[in-house]
Amino acid sequence: MRAHREEHKGALRSLSDFIFEHQQKFTEQEYVQASNACKRLHELGDQMARGAGAGANTRDRMSAQSPSSPSGDEDDGLTAAELYVREVEVGERSLESLVSILNEEGAPGESKMAASTAIRDLVSHAPDEDSMDRQTALGATGAIQALVEWLDTDGSPVNALLAHQALMTLGVLIRRHLGNKTLLGASGAFPAITRHMRYGSVHIENLAISLLSDAGFQHEENQWHMLSAGTVDAIVHLINQVRPLDRIERLLNLLQQILCTGENRCSILALQAANAGIVPILLAKLGSSIRGVALDTLYKVYDDSVELRDQVVSQGGIEKIAAVLVDPDCTLDHRSCAARALGELGSKSFPNRAKMRELGVIAYLKELEREPSGRRRSAFSFALSRLDEEADGIAALEVKRKKQQEERAEAAKARAERRAKMQEEGGAPFHLPRAPPALPAPKGIAKKRVRK
């Protein structure tokens, strides 16, 4: 029974991690539904576990011996981490004592890793309210700083295992907890996490990517820390290496996450990514099977930045993105990504829109606008409104506004010429007629006095 319970918990943990790591691919409603479903499965699993253990007297108090060498209930077959968890749950151990084990210099590596695993389980398997409270308490008692110190490994096997444990547990402690994300950034962890991402094994790289993605998403303070740590430079370096496309895709998703500011403005990391050479790399990826995520990342780089938009255009971005849009062999999802990217490149830029008309972008968007899928059709329609100057959309309004500005400028120039001509001919200076004087405001009606 215990083995089945652990297998169930492990599968749910993997599912929760997968949903969290790929949250940008869900709509907000889909993400909430998936998260609630995982939460319900956790609750049902806990209920079944409590029901199965009701007759086994699992609430008996444990002996005061160290969990690393239990002598009382050996038949339980619990690991040291599970014993730590049970002690905390029944009130025999505090969360602060687990943090003390993390900081204890003379403690064996096995005890430290057991304490780290226990912290992870106590947060992950608790209801949302208790989980948040435990995250707050552990952050306040120094768990994050203690785990960050494990990341500076000297290459020994024990320290490598501790670094692996630290990456996993830090990911649980900061998940959906703004305060702990800030503590992680303030601890100076990002240089070490970046090194593990750049030089670690595939598994270590994935853990570091997940941690950086969560810590940097819509967190400007941590984005500044990443700027100093050279995190973006490391990401661009890895993307440019010869490696399997699924690993490149994870890095592109990471870059998208840390470029998110939560506001409609350019991220402080976008310029660093462009200076590191991300634009030509992403344009080259448009010919691969990951062109969709490459387009989304490219869009995120130059979104809300005229300077970076012009850089993309100067490197042939319009032509290469338009090639995806007009290619019938590309999926409709990829073509909708291309439409959004082109819409941003053409926004408020008459030369860029003229180039797109020459490439036949407008005609293809009109054809794709009839696509039945609501989400994709809206992407094509919105791009068309930003690019088609002859329709009734954003581009047409820009043309109309520019025409009005030109007409006003010409009228002002004509008035100035007439004024100068009249002065040369000795006539009276040309003045615009004055507006009639404003009428005085009506006085209020005095109240009738009442004779006392």
Side-chain angles (χ1 to χ4, degrees):
M1 177 62 71
R2 176 178 169 272
H4 291 162
R5 186 174 72 248
E6 292 303 314
E7 186 178 355
H8 174 78
K9 289 163 60 177
L12 276 178
R13 190 182 303 121
S14 299
L15 179 59
S16 299
D17 291 342
F18 177 84
I19 292 172
F20 180 77
E21 292 171 9
H22 295 80
Q23 60 179 301
Q24 68 275 3
K25 297 182 179 179
F26 294 92
T27 65
E28 183 176 355
Q29 182 179 5
E30 291 170 344
Y31 179 66
V32 171
Q33 290 176 345
S35 299
N36 288 339
C38 284
K39 177 183 175 182
R40 182 57 181 158
L41 288 173
H42 275 294
E43 293 172 350
L44 291 173
D46 291 341
Q47 291 174 7
M48 289 187 291
R50 285 194 295 269
N57 198 18
T58 57
R59 294 286 185 178
D60 288 344
R61 295 181 61 84
M62 301 178 59
S63 69
Q65 303 236 347
S66 169
S68 59
S69 57
S71 62
D73 297 332
E74 293 181 352
D75 292 339
D76 282 347
L78 298 180
T79 64
E82 291 168 334
L83 290 172
Y84 282 141
V85 170
R86 178 185 286 185
E87 288 180 343
V88 172
E89 295 286 6
V90 300
E92 293 183 348
R93 180 180 290 275
S94 65
L95 294 174
E96 290 79 0
S97 69
L98 294 178
V99 178
S100 299
I101 297 174
L102 301 181
N103 284 313
E104 188 177 349
E105 293 185 5
E110 293 81 359
S111 297
K112 291 189 174 186
M113 286 188 284
S116 174
T117 302
I119 289 172
R120 198 162 61 246
D121 290 344
L122 285 166
V123 173
S124 297
H125 300 159
D128 286 349
E129 297 80 6
D130 294 341
S131 177
M132 183 70 69
D133 291 342
R134 287 173 176 176
Q135 285 175 297
T136 302
L138 288 163
T141 54
I144 290 176
Q145 184 62 54
L147 291 166
V148 167
E149 293 177 2
W150 292 8
L151 297 176
D152 290 324
T153 176
D154 59 3
S156 66
V158 172
N159 285 342
L161 288 173
L162 290 176
H164 177 269
Q165 279 281 335
L167 290 171
M168 290 194 297
T169 307
L170 286 170
V172 170
L173 288 177
I174 72 167
R175 184 168 298 174
R176 293 184 287 274
H177 196 289
L178 182 61
N180 282 356
K181 291 180 184 182
T182 303
L183 287 175
L184 179 66
S187 70
F190 291 127
I193 300 172
T194 300
R195 284 197 304 274
H196 283 289
M197 176 188 66
R198 185 164 184 171
Y199 301 112
S201 63
V202 175
H203 187 55
I204 290 292
E205 176 187 311
N206 290 340
L207 290 174
I209 286 174
S210 297
L211 186 57
L212 290 170
S213 177
D214 195 3
F217 178 69
Q218 295 186 353
H219 199 299
E220 189 169 351
E221 186 176 346
N222 281 351
Q223 290 173 7
W224 277 105
H225 290 308
M226 291 180 183
L227 189 73
S228 302
T231 302
V232 170
D233 290 321
I235 293 170
V236 175
H237 169 79
L238 292 173
I239 291 173
N240 200 32
Q241 301 301 301
V242 178
R243 51 174 43 206
L245 290 179
D246 61 329
R247 295 178 66 187
I248 295 178
E249 187 173 7
R250 288 181 62 84
L251 290 162
L252 292 176
N253 286 326
L254 166 61
L255 188 56
Q256 287 185 46
Q257 292 290 92
I258 65 175
L259 291 179
C260 290
T261 61
E263 301 178 11
N264 293 326
R265 55 189 175 83
C266 183
S267 167
I268 57 173
L269 299 176
L271 183 59
Q272 187 182 36
N275 291 338
I278 191 61
V279 172
I281 295 173
L282 292 175
L283 291 175
K285 300 297 181 188
L286 300 186
S288 67
S289 61
I290 59 170
R291 61 176 63 89
V293 67
L295 279 167
D296 285 340
T297 308
L298 183 64
Y299 174 85
K300 200 65 189 174
V301 168
Y302 66 77
D303 188 23
D304 297 312
S305 172
V306 175
E307 177 187 354
L308 296 178
R309 183 192 69 184
D310 293 343
Q311 186 178 139
V312 172
V313 173
S314 67
Q315 298 188 44
I318 291 178
E319 294 84 354
K320 293 177 181 178
I321 298 173
V324 176
L325 179 74
V326 304
D327 187 355
D329 293 331
C330 290
T331 66
L332 285 171
D333 285 332
H334 291 169
R335 298 173 84 177
S336 66
C337 291
R340 185 178 71 154
L342 290 170
E344 183 64 27
L345 290 176
S347 176
K348 301 178 182 179
S349 176
F350 292 92
N352 290 353
R353 290 202 292 263
K355 184 179 294 186
M356 293 178 195
R357 284 197 301 272
E358 295 174 1
L359 296 171
V361 168
I362 306 299
Y364 275 96
L365 284 174
K366 290 181 178 179
E367 179 182 345
L368 290 167
E369 194 180 17
R370 296 190 293 269
E371 202 276 322
S373 171
R375 184 184 300 181
R376 292 190 293 247
R377 185 172 63 249
S378 64
F380 297 133
S381 298
F382 185 66
L384 196 59
S385 73
R386 301 185 107 186
L387 301 177
D388 189 3
E389 297 177 352
E390 299 178 357
D392 185 17
I394 299 173
L397 289 176
E398 290 180 15
V399 172
K400 183 178 180 180
R401 191 179 299 113
K402 182 181 180 182
K403 185 178 180 180
Q404 290 174 345
Q405 291 173 350
E406 293 174 349
E407 290 174 350
R408 285 195 296 267
E410 291 177 359
K413 182 180 178 182
R415 286 196 300 270
E417 291 175 351
R418 287 198 303 270
R419 186 183 297 112
K421 184 177 180 180
M422 291 182 67
Q423 289 177 351
E424 289 175 1
E425 293 175 352
F430 177 78
H431 296 289
L432 291 174
R434 292 183 178 180
L439 296 175
K443 295 182 179 180
I445 301 175
K447 293 183 180 180
K448 184 177 179 180
R449 287 189 174 185
V450 179
R451 181 175 297 176
K452 295 183 179 179

